[in-house]
Amino acid sequence: MFYKPKNAWVGDVIPYYENGKFKLFYLKGWRNYQGDDVKRGWHLLETTDFVHYEKDLPIGIVGGTGHVIKVDGVYHLYYCIFPEGKQLICHAISKDFLHWETIPEDTFGPDGAIYHNSDFRDPFVFYNDETDEYWMILSARTNGKTSRTGCVGLCTSKDLKKWDYREPLYAPQMYQGSCECPDLFKEGDWWYLIYSNYTNHFGTYYRMSRSLSGPWITPVQDTFDGRAYYAAKSVSDGKNRYLFGWNPTKQENLFQFNPCGYEGKDYNTWDWGGEMWVHKIYPREDGSLAVSPTETVRNLYKQKHPLETQFLTGKWESYKDRFTTSSSGYSSSLVGEMPDKCHISMNINYKNSKFFGIALRVDQDFDLGYYILFEPNRNRVILKSHIMMTEEGGKTFPYQVEMERYVTLNENKDYFIQIFIQDTAAVLYVDDVAAMNFRMYDLTRNGHIFQKRMTLNKLGLFQYGGKTTFKDVFIRGI
C-alpha cells in the first residue's frame, strides 16, 4: 500500500501512464545511507494496481521534480537543477524511458523581470490547443513589494526548446514560498490546477477554473489531504485519475518538540520524503474534487478478524457488528485486535454528540492510543496522539490539534469511515470524499517505547454527550 524502496525513501513522484502501466518517475531519497547500491537522481517504478511494484531503476537524470510528455514518438523530460544557488530548467529526450539524452543548450532560468531569481523549478509541460503552442507551468516567484510572491509561473514554446516568459498562470499574492510541483488537467468543463506549498498552510492544494485565463476558484475544501501528504501530482489512465504523493517520516527532533527525555518519534519534525500513497480523485456535481482509496488496495483486504467486545465506560447496546452508546458523559469500548497491516471500516451516525471517534492501538485502560476525533460543532476530524493526553504533552506543545481535516458533519446521517494502516503509516477516509494521512510511531503491537510489553493493539470506539451508533464495524487483514 505505502510504497518504500529498499534503503531509501520516496520523494516527489512524476507519474506517467501508457499501455496499461503507471510509470512512476520519482526522486529517490537516500538520506544518510551510503551503500554500494546508491544511485542518485530520478528512478522509474512501474505498477498496474498500486499493490505490486516492479523495476525501480535509475534513469541517469540527476535533478529535481519535473514532467514527461510524449511528442511524435519521442519522450521529453523536463526537470530542474540547482547549480551554485541558481534554479534552472533542463531538457532531456528518450525513446525507451530508461536511456535519456540531455540537451544542455535548452537549459534556461528565470528572466529576472517577471520572475525572481530565487525560485524557478518543477516544470510541467502540456500542449495548449487553444493557443497552438506548448505551455510550461512551474514553481516560481514574481518580483513584488512583499515576500508573498509565490506563484505558478508560465512559459510558452512552439518547439519544446526555446521558451518565452509569460505572466503567471496563478499568482494569489498569498504565499511566502513558491507553489511547488504544479500539475494541470481538464475534466469536463473545468480546468484543475494542483500545487503544493509549505507556507501559510502545509499541503497539496487545487484551484478550478472554466478557462486557462482564470479566474481560479478556491473551493471550500481546497486540499486533498492534510499535513502528512505532500508534493502530489496526478495522472489519468483514461478512465480514472490518481494522485501520487508521499506520507513523510519523522526521523529528526529538529525543533526539540519532544518532552524532555522522551525518546519517541511521534513528535519529531516532518521529513522530506517518506512512503508513497495513491489517492483516487474525482469531480463531484459542483465541480469540486474528492478523494477515495483505490479499488485495488481496498480489495486487498479480505481476511475478516473477529470482533472481541469489552465495554469500559458508558451505556452500550450491541448486536454483531453494531454498537450504540447513549450517555451524557464519556463512553468507551474495545472491539477487537488490530493487525499491523489492516483495513478498518464502519459507518458512524450521531445525535447531540459533542464528539465521537475511533481509538487506534489503544491500551486496555483506554489511556494510551491514537485518537481520531470527530467534532460536529467545528465540522472537522482531528488526530490526537497519546502524548497530548498527558500533562507533559499539554505543557510541551503550543497547540491542541496535531492533524485536522474539514468535514461537514450533520446529525442522523451515516458517515462511511475507512482507515488503512501499514506499520507506522496510516490514512483515513471519510465518505470517500476527504482523506487524512498520518503516522503512528511509538505505540506498537509490542508496546509503548518506554515499556517492553503492553496490550496496545486494540481498536476502540468512543463518544461524549449524546448518542452515537457504530455499525458495520470490520477489521480486515491481508
Side-chain angles (χ1 to χ4, degrees):
M1 298 185 302
F2 290 88
Y3 178 77
K4 177 192 175 302
K6 183 180 180 181
N7 300 322
W9 302 94
V10 175
D12 303 354
V13 180
I14 302 95
Y16 187 92
Y17 181 82
E18 187 176 79
N19 298 328
K21 286 189 176 181
F22 294 91
K23 299 178 181 294
L24 308 178
F25 299 94
Y26 77 98
L27 308 186
K28 199 166 190 174
W30 297 95
R31 298 184 183 172
N32 296 324
Y33 178 72
Q34 301 293 330
D36 295 336
D37 55 337
V38 172
K39 300 291 183 183
R40 303 293 176 186
W42 284 37
H43 280 61
L44 175 60
L45 185 68
E46 292 188 356
T47 185
T48 59
D49 57 9
F50 316 122
V51 175
H52 305 93
Y53 293 89
E54 58 184 12
K55 289 192 176 179
D56 203 346
L57 301 172
I59 65 169
I61 296 295
V62 179
T65 306
H67 186 59
V68 175
I69 183 174
K70 186 178 182 180
V71 179
D72 298 330
V74 177
Y75 300 102
H76 295 259
L77 186 155
Y78 293 89
Y79 61 107
C80 51
I81 58 174
F82 310 91
E84 300 177 352
K86 300 178 181 178
Q87 297 191 8
L88 306 176
I89 305 300
C90 298
H91 183 200
I93 58 174
S94 174
K95 291 188 176 181
D96 64 1
F97 279 114
L98 285 177
H99 303 89
W100 294 87
E101 175 190 352
T102 59
I103 309 175
E105 61 269 26
D106 291 353
T107 300
F108 72 104
D111 63 336
I114 300 176
Y115 298 109
H116 193 272
N117 292 326
S118 60
D119 294 270
F120 202 74
R121 61 184 183 274
D122 305 350
F124 176 95
V125 178
F126 69 103
Y127 185 74
N128 187 343
D129 294 312
E130 298 175 7
T131 60
D132 192 26
E133 61 189 353
Y134 293 97
W135 278 25
M136 175 188 290
I137 60 173
L138 64 159
S139 173
R141 298 280 291 270
T142 60
N143 289 297
K145 295 181 180 180
T146 74
S147 63
R148 299 181 181 275
T149 57
C151 70
V152 176
L154 175 64
C155 295
T156 63
S157 175
K158 292 289 187 180
D159 59 6
L160 292 172
K161 294 177 68 65
K162 182 182 181 302
W163 294 89
D164 297 319
Y165 304 95
R166 298 287 184 257
E167 292 296 322
L169 180 75
Y170 179 66
Q173 298 181 330
M174 176 172 62
Y175 300 113
Q176 293 172 270
S178 62
C179 299
E180 297 189 305
C181 304
D183 180 19
L184 186 72
F185 66 93
K186 190 176 185 182
E187 185 85 19
D189 295 330
W190 290 98
W191 283 96
Y192 296 95
L193 172 65
I194 297 174
Y195 62 90
S196 294
N197 196 272
Y198 51 87
T199 63
N200 194 47
H201 291 291
F202 203 113
T204 297
Y205 298 79
Y206 80 94
R207 301 291 184 259
M208 47 197 290
S209 176
R210 299 284 189 181
S211 167
L212 285 172
S213 59
W216 292 96
I217 299 171
T218 301
V220 173
Q221 176 65 290
D222 65 342
T223 55
F224 298 101
D225 204 310
R227 169 61 182 87
Y229 193 74
Y230 197 71
K233 293 167 73 73
S234 75
V235 74
S236 173
D237 62 1
K239 182 179 179 182
N240 297 306
R241 182 165 289 272
Y242 300 94
L243 190 69
F244 301 79
W246 40 266
N247 179 321
T249 53
K250 292 183 173 183
Q251 299 297 324
E252 294 186 80
N253 186 20
L254 188 62
F255 297 108
Q256 304 298 312
F257 281 161
N258 281 333
C260 182
Y262 188 79
E263 299 177 0
K265 293 182 178 180
D266 275 334
Y267 286 86
N268 280 358
T269 44
W270 297 101
D271 303 316
W272 181 90
E275 293 163 314
M276 180 177 66
W277 180 261
V278 185
H279 290 304
K280 178 182 174 182
I281 58 177
Y282 64 94
R284 293 186 283 183
E285 290 185 4
D286 63 356
S288 63
L289 296 176
V291 294
S292 68
T294 64
E295 287 84 353
T296 49
V297 169
R298 187 175 358 214
N299 294 337
L300 182 65
Y301 295 87
K302 298 179 180 178
Q303 182 181 351
K304 291 184 180 179
H305 286 247
L307 300 181
E308 300 172 356
T309 308
Q310 183 179 354
F311 301 131
L312 300 177
T313 58
K315 182 181 178 181
W316 290 84
E317 297 178 357
S318 68
Y319 178 73
K320 293 185 178 179
D321 53 19
R322 182 187 181 103
F323 308 92
T324 299
T325 180
S326 180
S327 174
S328 60
Y330 188 83
S331 300
S332 60
S333 174
L334 303 174
V335 294
E337 298 278 334
M338 291 175 50
D340 291 337
K341 296 179 177 65
C342 63
H343 174 216
I344 296 166
S345 64
M346 66 186 72
N347 283 283
I348 304 179
N349 190 304
Y350 77 95
K351 183 177 181 180
N352 296 328
S353 301
K354 298 301 181 183
F355 61 77
F356 55 89
I358 303 164
L360 305 174
R361 293 182 182 168
V362 71
D363 66 347
Q364 197 74 17
D365 298 325
F366 224 81
D367 184 15
L368 294 173
Y370 300 93
Y371 304 88
I372 295 174
L373 192 74
F374 292 84
E375 297 182 324
N377 64 324
R378 296 183 177 179
N379 278 326
R380 69 178 183 178
V381 56
I382 66 174
L383 173 73
K384 277 196 170 185
S385 296
H386 52 99
I387 297 181
M388 292 298 291
M389 302 299 178
T390 67
E391 181 182 0
E392 288 77 10
K395 290 179 178 178
T396 300
F397 307 107
Y399 50 83
Q400 291 188 334
V401 175
E402 302 159 56
M403 306 290 296
E404 177 184 32
R405 296 293 292 152
Y406 170 81
V407 178
T408 301
L409 296 172
N410 295 305
E411 293 185 344
N412 300 314
K413 178 185 182 303
D414 283 0
Y415 288 91
F416 180 49
I417 310 300
Q418 297 182 87
I419 306 170
F420 295 86
I421 298 171
Q422 179 177 299
D423 303 320
T424 69
V427 58
L428 163 76
Y429 289 96
V430 181
D431 266 353
D432 283 339
V433 171
M436 181 175 71
N437 267 269
F438 57 99
R439 285 278 177 175
M440 301 184 294
Y441 276 104
D442 300 342
L443 307 185
T444 69
R445 176 179 294 275
N446 294 324
H448 189 276
I449 185 172
F450 287 133
Q451 303 180 34
K452 292 183 179 180
R453 296 291 298 181
M454 292 180 68
T455 304
L456 282 167
N457 58 328
K458 298 288 188 179
L459 174 66
L461 308 174
F462 62 90
Q463 77 108 40
Y464 174 72
K467 179 179 180 180
T468 304
T469 298
F470 306 85
K471 58 185 177 181
D472 307 319
V473 178
F474 291 104
I475 304 171
R476 294 183 175 92
I478 297 176

